[in-house]
Amino acid sequence: MCHITTLGQRGPRIRRWLHKIGPMRPRRLGAELGKSVVYQETNGETRVEIKESVRGQDIFIIQTIPRDVNTAVMELLIMAYALKTACARNIIGVIPYFPYSKQSKMRKRGSIVCKLLASMLAKAGLTHIITMDLHQKEIQGFFSFPVDNLRASPFLLQYIQEEIPNYRNAVIVAKSPDAAKRAQSYAERLRLGLAVIHGEAQCTELDMDDGRHSPPMVKNATVHPGLELPLMMAKEKPPITVVGDVGGRIAIIVDDIIDDVESFVAAAEILKERGAYKIYVMATHGILSAEAPRLIEESTIDEVVVTNTVPHEVQKLQCPKIKTVDISLILSEAIRRIHNGESM
């Protein structure tokens, strides 16, 4: 749901308003809930009403992304435009999990939806965004205004050190080569070993669409007679292999997003086969869609640790293995510093 924060002139006293409940707690900054209303019309349209003057104010719109992503995006756009129309000085979006961040690359005849959303936010009136652990850091280049990409790793690292017994006997695991850089960062900070899972169990329909068969395997009849394109063999991933020793160790799988958990469950089974005696999964954004809680509960995963960038109270009730790390402190501090013009 969408939440709003307004700030007056810069100084030690900060007044702000929020709409509805989000990961940032207003009491951390001595804030007040603002006077605004967001609701759905009977025909499904979103309506926003600002109930007090925001002229010349710094506005922080705090928007968590629930299961209904598109409704949340429309709330954010309409609210930003309403505040722009009401002559707010600055409109800053606090979006802990930025939606459509996985659609930041061109796939066949698809589109880069993340770039489209960035353009829409700018057009609606946003002048700044605070977010956390973008799926790709290059996404910041899609925006025509500043983006502060905060990091949740200090909170997750603290959890590992304080809540995982004998964590010195752990190894940080990347469930794919794409996650190796993030896993390496965790391993270096904790002075632990690193393991990478490489390969795949079988060829899935999604893999067929990832461009591994480009250029085409046969010559295109429409090519100019004098031009011969080189033929390229299709990619073929090897069988699943664990690069690194996990035998008799605690395996900690790290990633930025955990949504469909099948890949994490498969990785946990491989690690169990290789001798890991306890398996944790750490991620910033716990979306946990569909049957994720049930699959986690029935899997060999011992614990899934995520932050509260995305609401997942229902999933926690369904699966006691899911644990939450609160990151409201860093969001609150980011708001305070931006309002007071301090360095981030």
Side-chain angles (χ1 to χ4, degrees):
M1 288 299 189
C2 208
H3 345 289
I4 304 183
T5 309
T6 67
L7 293 85
Q9 299 299 319
R10 294 188 175 124
R13 294 180 60 84
I14 298 177
R15 183 181 71 86
R16 82 181 20 87
W17 29 289
L18 303 175
H19 176 71
K20 300 182 181 177
I21 304 300
M24 194 207 75
R25 301 173 183 174
R27 65 173 176 268
R28 288 192 182 278
L29 295 168
E32 297 178 354
L33 292 176
K35 298 177 181 178
S36 63
V37 177
V38 178
Y39 61 94
Q40 302 291 322
E41 298 276 13
T42 54
N43 62 359
E45 294 182 356
T46 300
R47 183 176 291 273
V48 174
E49 296 179 4
I50 309 300
K51 296 296 186 178
E52 61 181 307
S53 174
V54 296
R55 184 179 296 272
Q57 304 289 314
D58 286 342
I59 313 296
F60 288 80
I61 306 176
I62 302 174
Q63 177 64 307
T64 53
I65 304 299
R67 289 180 180 271
D68 191 353
V69 177
N70 295 328
T71 297
V73 169
M74 283 306 300
E75 285 182 357
L76 178 61
L77 292 170
I78 295 173
M79 184 168 285
Y81 190 69
L83 295 166
K84 176 183 177 182
T85 305
C87 299
R89 180 174 60 179
N90 293 308
I91 304 173
I92 300 96
V94 182
I95 313 171
Y97 168 65
F98 194 81
Y100 290 100
S101 59
K102 284 190 174 182
Q103 299 189 48
S104 59
K105 295 181 180 179
M106 180 64 73
R107 294 279 186 175
K108 281 196 170 181
R109 295 179 181 85
S111 59
I112 306 177
V113 183
C114 193
K115 175 66 170 67
L116 171 64
L117 181 55
S119 300
M120 292 167 64
L121 292 173
K123 190 68 175 178
L126 286 180
T127 59
H128 197 137
I129 276 184
I130 303 171
T131 187
M132 180 163 284
D133 281 345
L134 286 169
H135 188 58
Q136 299 287 344
K137 293 182 179 180
E138 293 79 5
I139 290 174
Q140 296 175 76
F142 292 164
F143 295 88
S144 58
F145 49 78
V147 176
D148 284 310
N149 184 28
L150 307 180
R151 300 172 64 183
S153 57
F155 297 90
L156 296 176
L157 290 169
Q158 183 180 21
Y159 184 94
I160 292 173
Q161 293 173 316
E162 296 179 357
E163 302 296 332
I164 298 181
N166 195 24
Y167 82 92
R168 288 294 181 186
N169 188 38
V171 58
I172 304 298
V173 180
K175 69 179 181 68
S176 67
D178 293 338
K181 187 174 182 180
R182 183 183 303 273
Q184 181 182 3
S185 176
Y186 276 71
E188 290 175 350
R189 283 171 169 77
L190 293 169
R191 312 296 194 269
L192 298 177
L194 175 67
V196 180
I197 299 176
H198 178 55
E200 62 183 355
Q202 60 183 1
C203 188
T204 64
E205 183 178 351
L206 179 62
D207 294 328
M208 302 302 293
D209 295 332
D210 67 358
R212 66 177 64 189
H213 293 287
S214 297
M217 293 300 294
V218 297
K219 294 183 178 180
N220 193 334
T222 61
V223 175
H224 190 277
L227 178 63
E228 292 187 5
L229 294 177
L231 296 180
M232 182 179 292
M233 295 183 63
K235 296 178 184 177
E236 184 175 347
K237 292 184 180 180
I240 292 180
T241 304
V242 178
V243 182
D245 182 20
V246 298
R249 312 284 287 278
I250 300 171
I252 304 176
I253 304 173
V254 299
D255 212 335
D256 60 331
I257 300 172
I258 177 169
D259 188 1
D260 296 326
V261 300
E262 285 86 352
S263 60
F264 291 92
V265 171
E269 292 174 354
I270 293 295
L271 293 171
K272 276 288 186 182
E273 293 175 1
R274 299 299 193 277
Y277 71 89
K278 205 163 188 179
I279 300 171
Y280 292 81
V281 174
M282 316 284 292
T284 302
H285 309 296
I287 302 175
L288 303 170
S289 300
E291 296 295 318
R294 179 184 62 82
L295 294 175
I296 293 171
E297 185 65 24
E298 297 173 355
S299 72
T300 57
I301 297 172
D302 294 283
E303 194 169 281
V304 174
V305 183
V306 294
T307 72
N308 55 344
T309 56
V310 179
H312 52 263
E313 287 77 11
V314 175
Q315 290 89 331
K316 288 182 68 176
L317 294 175
Q318 297 171 345
C319 177
K321 291 183 179 180
I322 300 173
K323 308 297 181 183
T324 305
V325 175
D326 182 24
I327 46 82
S328 61
L329 176 63
I330 192 171
L331 292 175
S332 301
E333 180 63 14
I335 289 175
R336 187 193 67 79
R337 293 191 183 193
I338 289 176
H339 176 62
N340 293 327
E342 299 176 12
S343 172
M344 292 292 288

